[in-house]
Amino acid sequence: MNSLITPATQLVDRFGRQVRYVRLSVTDRCDFRCVYCMSEKMTFLPRDQVLTLEEIGRIAHVFTELGVEKIRLTGGEPLVRRGVLELVDYIGSLGLRDFAMTTNGSQLPHMAKALKAAGLKRLNVSLDSLDADKFRRITRIGDLNKVLEGIDAAREAGFERIKLNAVVMRGRNDDEVLDLVELARERGLDISFIEEMPLGHISDHTRDETYCSSDDVRDIIETRYSLSPTSTQTAGPSRYYAMADSDSQIGFISPHSHNFCGDCNRVRVTVEGRLLLCLGNEHSVDLKEVLRQYPKDNEPLRQTIIDAMDLKPEKHHFTTDGDVQIVRFMNTTGG
Ligand code: SAM
Ligand code: SF4
């Protein structure tokens, strides 16, 4: 989005970056256990540490007043949170330019229609493999068919420009890159390929063992299709490419190989109410305390968010050398 024609935001950091995009995590729980995201046995947060849906709604409202134009709901798996449709309905009424959700798709067969009716504008569905056994190995418990049905249900419900997200791991699913591109082309979807990020201690593999750069993925795709850069900007970290004979766009999210911090316009709020100024740093501000101390007054929350902008770091510090730099898991961070 061209910042010259958008209204002023009150959220500007020390490096002049305007924050217009917030990712809100609505739960740390999930019905999958993806190997790159969680350990096999996870302990989830006790209920009193988790924001209520009303509290998440208040945060969304205040961010919108401060100039945020795009909200994405994520998790954990956002669709396993009870009552999430009411939250979608509320945030859908705030007049955002873009309102999206990232989901593993497993609940879409029965929820896609209701999400659309509640005002959700866009969906990203995570899908790393089209082989049912491999899909099960990566997600540990997921059912590929449910996700494929979910994607169809979302298309039938009228969602446009649905985007697939695939984390590519060498030796696990890098042989499926072209199959995933074919699926996107057949069903009129966009697809982003993500480099794995070192969030949380995982037991399945070391991150350097499976690291596959976006350039490697692009080389694989270019064995079949030539890719030309597009001017598409979505306020997210993807760089997009087009194929000559298809509407499907291919994105790359490359935290390692193409540091995306320079034009970062995003912050995240965890389901515990921690405002995270950067995915790859531990800087955070506790919004839950402010919300609970002032249940009827949004002004202190507003001021806390404005002041927090000064803490936004210049860039993340991910490496693939196997060391965990960030101890929180992606499901608690809000991917
Ligand atoms: N459960 C939903 C889903 O899977 O789409 C939303 C939350 S999930 C944490 C959001 C995105 O983060 C997914 O696309 C997932 O593949 C990605 N992700 C999780 N852990 C990651 C990691 N360590 N590195 C890169 N991407 C990761
Ligand atoms: Fe669940 Fe999404 Fe994490 Fe997979 S990536 S375990 S679906 S939160």
Side-chain angles (χ1 to χ4, degrees), residues 170 211-221:
R170 186 172 301 287
Y211 176 63
C212 188
S213 76
S214 292
D215 289 346
D216 294 337
V217 176
R218 204 176 133 180
D219 287 346
I220 296 173
I221 299 170

Side-chain angles (χ1 to χ4, degrees), residues 27-42 44 74-77 104 126 128 137-140 167 169 196-205 207 210 326-335:
T27 180
D28 63 328
R29 287 161 200 262
C30 188
D31 51 352
F32 291 1
R33 296 282 182 280
C34 301
V35 291
Y36 47 73
C37 177
M38 294 194 180
S39 59
E40 197 156 8
K41 294 209 170 17
M42 291 290 289
F44 295 107
T74 178
E77 173 47 42
N104 66 25
S126 301
D128 304 324
R137 273 202 299 281
I138 293 175
T139 59
R140 291 198 182 100
V167 175
M169 291 166 286
E196 186 179 354
M197 290 174 249
L199 297 171
H201 291 275
I202 53 167
S203 53
D204 181 76
H205 55 267
R207 311 270 189 188
T210 49
I326 302 294
V327 289
R328 47 185 156 72
F329 284 97
M330 192 64 145
N331 70 308
T332 56
T333 299

Side-chain angles (χ1 to χ4, degrees), residues 2-255:
N2 185 342
S3 56
L4 291 176
I5 57 168
T6 54
T9 170
Q10 295 188 49
L11 303 178
V12 182
D13 75 2
R14 290 173 299 146
F15 306 96
R17 294 173 299 189
Q18 303 185 348
V19 170
R20 295 190 177 272
Y21 176 9
V22 180
R23 296 187 180 214
L24 297 175
S25 175
V26 304
T27 180
D28 63 328
R29 287 161 200 262
C30 188
D31 51 352
F32 291 1
R33 296 282 182 280
C34 301
V35 291
Y36 47 73
C37 177
M38 294 194 180
S39 59
E40 197 156 8
K41 294 209 170 17
M42 291 290 289
T43 314
F44 295 107
L45 293 165
R47 187 169 289 256
D48 63 339
Q49 281 182 36
V50 168
L51 296 180
T52 64
L53 294 174
E54 291 71 23
E55 287 168 338
I56 298 173
R58 277 178 71 195
I59 291 174
H61 175 74
V62 167
F63 267 114
T64 310
E65 282 184 342
L66 288 170
V68 159
E69 307 174 309
K70 171 171 176 179
I71 289 182
R72 173 178 299 282
L73 300 182
T74 178
E77 173 47 42
L79 296 180
V80 302
R81 172 101 194 228
R82 195 170 305 151
V84 71
L85 283 172
E86 288 155 45
L87 180 67
V88 170
D89 195 44
Y90 173 69
I91 297 178
S93 72
L94 295 175
L96 290 157
R97 183 179 60 79
D98 195 6
F99 178 29
M101 177 181 283
T102 305
T103 171
N104 66 25
S106 66
Q107 309 294 320
L108 284 177
H110 67 278
M111 292 182 82
K113 234 183 180 165
L115 287 167
K116 181 77 182 157
L120 189 71
K121 294 189 181 172
R122 283 192 316 113
L123 275 170
N124 287 6
V125 182
S126 301
L127 180 61
D128 304 324
S129 172
L130 295 175
D131 170 315
D133 291 336
K134 219 191 279 176
F135 184 85
R136 172 64 57 101
R137 273 202 299 281
I138 293 175
T139 59
R140 291 198 182 100
I141 41 180
D143 177 353
L144 173 65
N145 277 331
K146 273 266 158 351
V147 176
L148 295 175
E149 272 171 43
I151 293 169
D152 286 341
R155 290 165 68 214
E156 275 159 33
F159 282 100
E160 289 173 7
R161 299 238 71 91
I162 298 168
K163 186 167 72 111
L164 302 178
N165 278 340
V167 175
V168 184
M169 291 166 286
R170 186 172 301 287
R172 306 285 158 115
N173 64 344
D174 56 337
D175 57 336
E176 290 200 64
V177 165
L178 284 170
D179 293 343
L180 288 162
V181 169
E182 292 307 334
L183 179 85
R185 288 167 57 95
E186 276 159 27
R187 304 206 184 186
L189 315 170
D190 294 331
I191 181 163
S192 278
F193 292 99
I194 306 175
E195 288 177 353
E196 186 179 354
M197 290 174 249
L199 297 171
H201 291 275
I202 53 167
S203 53
D204 181 76
H205 55 267
T206 60
R207 311 270 189 188
D208 55 345
E209 174 190 324
T210 49
Y211 176 63
C212 188
S213 76
S214 292
D215 289 346
D216 294 337
V217 176
R218 204 176 133 180
D219 287 346
I220 296 173
I221 299 170
E222 295 211 294
T223 59
R224 192 172 296 170
Y225 300 108
S226 78
L227 298 178
S228 41
T230 71
S231 55
T232 304
Q233 290 194 5
T234 57
S238 275
R239 293 169 297 125
Y240 282 99
Y241 293 80
M243 292 167 281
D245 59 345
S246 165
D247 280 346
S248 295
Q249 299 209 46
I250 299 189
F252 296 97
I253 301 179
S254 324

